Amino acid sequence: MASSFVPPPSRKGRGATANVESRFSEFRRESDETRYESDAAQECEVKFVTQVALENARTIISRNQSADIPFDRSINPYRGCEHGCTYCFARPTHAYLGLSPGLDFETRLYAKHNAAERLDAELRKRGYRPALLALGANTDPYQPIEREYRITRSVLEVLERFGHPVGITTKSALVTRDIDILSRMAKRGLARVFISVGTLDADIARKMEPRANTPARRIEAIRKLTDAGVPTGVIVAPIVPALTDFDIERVLKTASEAGATYAGYVMLRLPREVHDVFVTWLETHYPLRARHVMSLIEQVRDGKHNSAEFGTRMRGTGLHAELIRQRFHLAARKLGLNQARPPLRIDQFNVPEPETPTTESERNPESQRRPRQQSATSATSATSAQDHGGLAGHANPQMPLF
C-alpha cells in the first residue's frame, strides 16, 4: 500500500512519479501505511504546483572541458525544468540544492533574473576571448516559465549587442518568439538553433515529456526558423531502445522537409537519480515493455544501465548501438543532412559602450518579473560544475553539433 508521503504512480502534467530524496540529505522518509488510509478517507492529496525562486547569480557563464560536447562555455538561465522529461540528465543537479531530482526538479525552479547583467559584465572583462556559447546545455532555456521571465531573451539581446556567437538547443516552440533577434544574428553568422525531437509519436512524447511542446509544434518551429533565415537542425534525443528508436528515420525525414540542414542524436543516459525516475516511469506507463527496454539499454551500456565514459556515453557501445549509429547516418546521408556546417563567426565580437538605464524597470529588472507562485528565498550561489551538464544531442566527431 502506498505512503501518504509518496505521490500516486502518475500525476497529470508531471514526469516523475515520486519525489526521491536528495542524496545529500541527512533525512530519509519511510512509508506510513496507516496515514495513507487516513488521508484517503479525508480525500487529502499532496499537490505539486510550480514554484519559482529568484536567484541572484554571481557568475553566469559555466565552463567545461568535456571531450563529448563541442563547446567550452554555456549559460543556463534556469535551474530545474518544468518540461518534466523523465530522462533529463540534469535532474541530479537539483540534489546539490538539497532538493529532490524527482518532482522537485520540475516544480521548484530557480530563475537567474540578473543573467543579462552578469553576462554583460563577464563579456567586458579584460582578456575575454569569444567562442561559441551554448544555451540549453543543462536545462531548457525556453521552458514554460520563460514566457513570463524572458531571461533567455535578455541574454540574446546582450549577445547580439556584443556580436557574440550562440548555439541554442531546445524542445520548445517558444524559441520562435525570438526570431527577430535570431534572424539578425544569423545574418551575421552568429546564431544556430537545434530542436530536440525524440519521437513523432504524440502519445509517447506526452507521457515522457509532459509539459514540452508536441512533436508537431517543434517541427513547425524548425520551419519558421528556417523561413526566417536561421540555420536550424534537429536532435533525435534521446533514443530509447524498443520505445522511440523506431522513429529515427521518420524524425529526420520530417525535420528535413521542414528545412533542417543539420542533425545529431544521443542515446538514452541514466546517470544517478535519473535511473530510478525513468525506470519507475517506464514500469508505470509501459509495464509490458519495460523489461525489454531495460535489456536493450544494458546491451548498449556494457551490461549496465549507464556509462559515463567520454567518447561513448552519448552513443553507447555494442551491436545494437552500432546498428542505431548506422541507421542514423544512412538516413542523414540520404536526406542530405550535415553536408556542410560552417563555424559561427567570432570576428564580429566587439565590446559596446555601457548602456545607461532610463526607466525604473530597466534599473530594477526584478520589479517587472514576479514568480508564478509564492517564491522561495532568493538563492545566491555560483554555478556548480554539475550545472554544465551534457548537451541534449551530439553529432559525429567530424561534424560538431554547433
Side-chain angles (χ1 to χ4, degrees), residues 190-237:
L190 297 175
R192 187 171 291 149
V193 177
F194 275 80
I195 303 295
S196 175
V197 184
T199 178
L200 294 180
D201 188 307
D203 182 63
I204 294 177
R206 183 174 60 254
K207 293 175 181 176
M208 192 160 56
E209 308 158 337
R211 296 207 177 190
N213 286 142
T214 63
R217 288 197 62 191
R218 295 181 227 176
I219 295 297
E220 183 59 26
I222 293 177
R223 192 183 310 279
K224 290 180 179 180
L225 289 165
T226 301
D227 291 345
V230 181
T232 309
V234 62
I235 301 175
V236 189

Side-chain angles (χ1 to χ4, degrees), residues 70-71 132 134 167-169 192-194 341-344 391 400-402:
F71 56 84
L132 171 70
I168 298 175
T169 301
R192 187 171 291 149
V193 177
F194 275 80
R341 196 179 303 177
L344 296 178
L391 194 63
L401 187 60
F402 290 118

Side-chain angles (χ1 to χ4, degrees), residues 298-310:
E298 291 175 0
Q299 291 184 39
V300 301
R301 296 299 182 188
D302 296 323
K304 299 176 290 185
H305 289 166
N306 187 58
S307 172
E309 297 294 327
F310 284 144

Side-chain angles (χ1 to χ4, degrees), residues 276-290:
D276 291 345
V277 171
F278 178 80
V279 171
T280 303
W281 171 87
L282 184 65
E283 292 174 343
T284 299
H285 292 280
Y286 298 96
L288 301 181
R289 204 183 307 187

Side-chain angles (χ1 to χ4, degrees), residues 239-359:
I239 293 178
V240 184
L243 188 61
T244 66
D245 56 353
F246 73 94
D247 232 358
I248 295 174
E249 291 82 0
R250 195 162 65 113
V251 170
L252 292 177
K253 184 176 185 297
T254 306
S256 176
E257 292 172 347
T261 53
Y262 319 123
Y265 79 93
V266 62
M267 189 70 70
L268 175 70
R269 298 169 54 202
L270 298 175
R272 296 188 180 276
E273 293 91 345
V274 182
H275 174 272
D276 291 345
V277 171
F278 178 80
V279 171
T280 303
W281 171 87
L282 184 65
E283 292 174 343
T284 299
H285 292 280
Y286 298 96
L288 301 181
R289 204 183 307 187
R291 189 171 181 180
H292 182 43
V293 171
M294 297 310 297
S295 174
L296 290 177
I297 289 176
E298 291 175 0
Q299 291 184 39
V300 301
R301 296 299 182 188
D302 296 323
K304 299 176 290 185
H305 289 166
N306 187 58
S307 172
E309 297 294 327
F310 284 144
T312 61
R313 62 178 181 154
M314 300 291 188
R315 292 285 191 268
T317 58
L319 293 177
H320 193 73
E322 176 62 19
L323 174 62
I324 288 177
R325 188 193 72 81
Q326 291 186 17
R327 284 176 55 194
F328 175 87
H329 287 291
L330 178 61
R333 186 165 61 251
K334 286 183 176 180
L335 294 168
L337 298 170
N338 294 334
Q339 294 301 304
R341 196 179 303 177
L344 296 178
R345 299 176 61 179
I346 61 173
D347 60 318
Q348 302 248 335
F349 182 75
N350 182 56
V351 179
E353 291 296 323
E355 292 188 346
T356 302
T358 57
T359 66

Side-chain angles (χ1 to χ4, degrees), residues 67-85:
D68 286 324
I69 49 181
F71 56 84
D72 66 355
R73 64 201 71 180
S74 61
I75 290 179
N76 296 297
Y78 304 99
R79 295 183 191 269
C81 185
E82 198 176 8
H83 281 155
C85 304

